[in-house]
Amino acid sequence: MTSATPRVPIVGGNWKMNTTRAEAHALLRDLRARFDGLRGVEVVICPPAAWLGDAADLLGGSSLAVAAQNVYWEPKGAFTGEVSAPMLVGTAAAVLIGHSERRHVFGETDEDTNRKLRAVLDAGLRPVLAIGELREEAEGGRTEAVLRRQLTGAFEGFDALPPDLVVAYEPVWAIGTGLAATADDAQERCAMVRAILAERFDRTSADACRIQYGGSVNAGNAAGYAACPDVDGVLVGGASLDGASFEAICRAFVA
Ligand code: 13P
């Protein structure tokens, strides 16, 4: 642990565009029963936008937090289909920004990520900023340059690292492929992210910032990441749709 104050691990369950309403309700009830009162790890559930209100109702008063998977940067107006940060206040505590699927399926840029980051902070919500390199970038030895570019772009115009911000390092080649990064690689990359944050801002805020690994995390490999000093939690996709697997992953981070 490089920080003076220990970083509380944070585990997110990103459901992506999965679950019917009935499935979402069943999973939320199951998670509430499994997790309520669990200490030593912060657990954040990211359901599809359509179920955010249901999630807030079904998890209300529990130790589980709700996060949105995406947001638009304008507060309101003629933007059909979009959801603004002020609209999320009261249902979501946090918002995922810059997820690889937003970047690579929907063409979001670093500039978009910067706008979204500002909107989330203006609304008083916690950003979870996702970054990560493509396979060809990793193979071409460009990982550090890509992470630096994504972080620099997201923080364009920022004087300080927002204190509650979480960074999710998710190598694109590991997402949904079963090809999880080794714990050693995840540690190295999360430490790299922390070093870039220290360079861009300052050592103290970089040391206080929680950095997650994401990409094919499951009940079998979570303990390896939990043992890494710079990996402060994980962001889980597929395995977060199964209550027992997600519980095992979260419990791996309880000291
Ligand atoms: P998988 O865990 O399904 O690889 O997804 C990771 C992810 O994208 C979480 O945001």
Side-chain angles (χ1 to χ4, degrees), residues 1-126:
M1 185 76 60
T2 47
S3 141
T5 313
R7 297 180 293 265
V8 176
I10 181 165
V11 175
N14 177 9
W15 295 6
K16 309 193 179 185
M17 199 176 73
N18 292 296
T19 64
T20 62
R21 187 164 189 239
E23 288 166 350
H25 282 202
L27 184 52
L28 289 164
R29 288 201 174 91
D30 179 45
L31 293 173
R32 182 174 186 130
R34 287 175 185 279
F35 285 96
D36 205 9
L38 180 67
R39 288 171 199 277
V41 60
E42 219 177 298
V43 182
V44 183
I45 309 299
C46 317
W51 321 138
L52 278 173
D54 294 2
D57 289 343
L58 288 167
L59 300 179
S62 78
S63 58
L64 294 154
V66 176
Q69 296 175 14
N70 185 31
V71 72
Y72 190 57
W73 56 78
E74 292 291 348
K76 63 178 183 176
F79 303 102
T80 301
E82 295 295 331
V83 175
S84 76
M87 288 172 179
L88 294 172
V89 174
T91 48
V95 185
L96 256 177
I97 297 172
H99 189 276
S100 109
E101 286 137 28
R102 298 304 317 169
R103 294 177 191 265
H104 301 296
V105 181
F106 297 99
E108 284 186 9
T109 64
D110 292 323
E111 198 180 12
D112 296 339
T113 304
N114 176 259
R115 291 193 182 113
K116 291 183 175 199
L117 189 50
R118 290 171 185 277
V120 166
L121 292 165
D122 286 349
L125 300 169
R126 167 185 294 176

Side-chain angles (χ1 to χ4, degrees), residues 132-148:
E133 81 285 2
L134 295 163
R135 171 178 300 285
E136 56 267 32
E137 291 167 337
E139 287 172 354
R142 299 198 300 280
T143 298
E144 184 167 3
V146 170
L147 299 182
R148 194 177 291 279

Side-chain angles (χ1 to χ4, degrees), residues 107-193:
E108 284 186 9
T109 64
D110 292 323
E111 198 180 12
D112 296 339
T113 304
N114 176 259
R115 291 193 182 113
K116 291 183 175 199
L117 189 50
R118 290 171 185 277
V120 166
L121 292 165
D122 286 349
L125 300 169
R126 167 185 294 176
V128 179
L129 172 64
I131 57 172
E133 81 285 2
L134 295 163
R135 171 178 300 285
E136 56 267 32
E137 291 167 337
E139 287 172 354
R142 299 198 300 280
T143 298
E144 184 167 3
V146 170
L147 299 182
R148 194 177 291 279
R149 191 206 75 222
Q150 291 175 334
L151 288 167
T152 305
F155 292 121
E156 177 68 40
F158 279 62
D159 293 333
L161 180 61
D164 272 352
L165 179 136
V166 173
V167 176
Y169 165 64
E170 300 201 289
V172 181
W173 47 267
I175 295 178
T177 58
L179 301 170
T182 63
D184 283 351
D185 283 348
Q187 162 58 26
E188 187 202 307
R189 303 296 155 79
C190 288
M192 183 185 280
V193 170

